[in-house]
């Protein structure tokens, strides 16, 4: 069996309130901590979290959110998401730096975020300003020995590679979300792996379908019911010697979420057992 850690994304609030109970129920010992509320990224909470997880759970990375409006669609998304919109850029850069500080306190090497709808045209002022903003945050991360990882989805794979090249630092990576590439209509996930190659440091195990109109994202589905070909995807990851975690993400709540996470876990185990 090819040995990759299988985990799940879980909110910082949930871990601080309920401990690792949910992870134990799922039979998982790896997670990505989702931290949208940067006000709680304190030293006290870092110490509490370290006590809670102990040696039982590995925190693979911290997904850092940012303040301000968020519209996960094609119409308002470009003007509200990530570091691209100028009016929210500074406060979000500071939030990401705070996330890097929190990761350092936890002894975690990677933070992840959505940078936003990075412009396809590298000659625009908006693109150049976004590169400068990412470089400042990533430089701060580098001073802490932290990797800054772009979550895929809102830009084509080659735009993301170009951005990484133009930022020009060696602590940049990619958190591959194969479903997002479909939901945003940007790429076939398996083909994207051949573009990203060794830049991939984390993977979200999420499934979905392409958009059916020009205003709304495609639909997320349980793993195995969308268009992500996970056997081929994992084959491609292994081809490029991927050693990072497989972090299951299912963006619903309630009993069905747990059911779908367990289903995804079993699909992954079945695939990895073939190697």
């Amino acid at each position: 069996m090819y040995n990759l850690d299988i985990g799940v994304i879980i909110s910082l609030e949930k871990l601080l309130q309920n401990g690792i109970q949910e992870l134990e129920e799922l039979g998982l010992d790896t997670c990505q901590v989702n931290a949208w509320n940067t006000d709680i990224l304190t030293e006290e909470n870092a110490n509490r979290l370290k006590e809670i997880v102990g040696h039982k759970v590995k925190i693979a990375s911290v997904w850092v959110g940012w303040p301000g409006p968020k519209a996960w669609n094609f119409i308002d998304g470009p003007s509200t998401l990530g570091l691209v919109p100028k009016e929210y850029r500074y406060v979000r850069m500071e939030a990401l730096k705070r996330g890097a500080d929190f990761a350092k306190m936890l002894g975690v090497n990677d933070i992840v975020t959505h940078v936003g709808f990075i412009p396809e045209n590298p000659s625009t002022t908006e693109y150049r300003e976004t590169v400068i903003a990412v470089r400042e945050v990533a430089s701060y991360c580098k001073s802490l020995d932290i990797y800054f990882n772009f979550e895929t989805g809102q830009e084509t794979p080659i735009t993301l590679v170009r951005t990484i090249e133009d930022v020009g630092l060696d602590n940049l990576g990619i958190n591959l979300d194969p479903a997002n590439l479909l939901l945003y209509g940007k790429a076939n996930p398996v083909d994207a792996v051949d573009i990203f190659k060794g830049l991939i440091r984390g993977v979200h195990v999420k499934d979905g379908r392409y958009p059916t109109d020009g205003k709304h994202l495609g639909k997320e589905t349980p793993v195995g019911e969308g268009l992500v070909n996970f056997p081929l995807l994992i084959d491609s990851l292994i081809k490029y010697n991927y050693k990072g975690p497989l972090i299951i993400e299912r963006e619903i709540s309630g009993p069905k979420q747990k059911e779908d996470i367990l289903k995804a876990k079993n699909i992954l185990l079945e695939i990895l057992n073939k190697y």
Side-chain angles (χ1 to χ4, degrees), residues 27-45:
L28 296 170
D29 59 5
T30 301
C31 70
Q32 180 181 76
V33 175
N34 188 8
W36 271 99
N37 180 5
T38 51
D39 289 338
I40 63 172
L41 300 184
T42 62
E43 187 173 3
E44 179 188 358
N45 282 336

Side-chain angles (χ1 to χ4, degrees), residues 110-113 138 147-152 160 164 169-176 198-202:
D110 293 70
I111 66 165
V112 181
T113 198
Y147 269 82
F148 179 94
N149 296 314
F150 299 75
E151 175 151 353
T152 59
L160 181 47
I164 289 171
L169 296 173
D170 62 1
N171 64 319
L172 300 173
I174 291 170
N175 187 91
L176 174 69
L199 288 168
I200 301 170
R201 291 184 57 83

Side-chain angles (χ1 to χ4, degrees), residues 22-155:
E22 184 175 318
L23 292 166
E24 289 176 329
E25 288 173 358
L26 293 166
L28 296 170
D29 59 5
T30 301
C31 70
Q32 180 181 76
V33 175
N34 188 8
W36 271 99
N37 180 5
T38 51
D39 289 338
I40 63 172
L41 300 184
T42 62
E43 187 173 3
E44 179 188 358
N45 282 336
N47 290 331
R48 277 185 63 204
L49 185 55
K50 284 193 286 188
E51 285 178 17
I52 287 167
V53 301
H55 297 294
K56 295 179 181 176
V57 171
K58 176 184 176 183
I59 300 174
S61 56
V62 179
W63 206 106
V64 185
W66 19 257
K70 310 169 229 335
W72 306 99
N73 60 43
F74 295 127
I75 306 305
D76 299 311
S79 61
T80 61
L81 298 180
L83 297 179
V84 177
K86 184 184 293 189
E87 56 267 48
Y88 313 117
R89 194 178 289 146
Y90 178 78
V91 68
R92 290 176 175 179
M93 289 165 65
E94 293 305 299
L96 291 171
K97 290 176 185 178
R98 189 163 186 177
D101 289 334
F102 190 71
K104 184 69 174 179
M105 291 177 216
L106 291 173
V108 173
N109 297 325
D110 293 70
I111 66 165
V112 181
T113 198
H114 271 302
V115 169
F117 284 75
I118 302 173
E120 294 281 311
N121 183 350
S123 300
T124 62
T125 300
E126 190 177 47
Y127 174 81
R128 289 193 291 266
E129 288 180 349
T130 301
V131 167
I132 291 166
V134 171
R135 187 181 295 131
E136 180 175 327
V137 176
S139 295
Y140 185 82
C141 291
K142 187 172 170 64
S143 74
L144 301 174
D145 293 322
I146 300 283
Y147 269 82
F148 179 94
N149 296 314
F150 299 75
E151 175 151 353
T152 59
Q154 289 146 7
E155 64 292 302

Side-chain angles (χ1 to χ4, degrees), residues 172-183:
L172 300 173
I174 291 170
N175 187 91
L176 174 69
D177 188 314
N180 281 353
L181 291 168
L182 294 167
L183 301 182

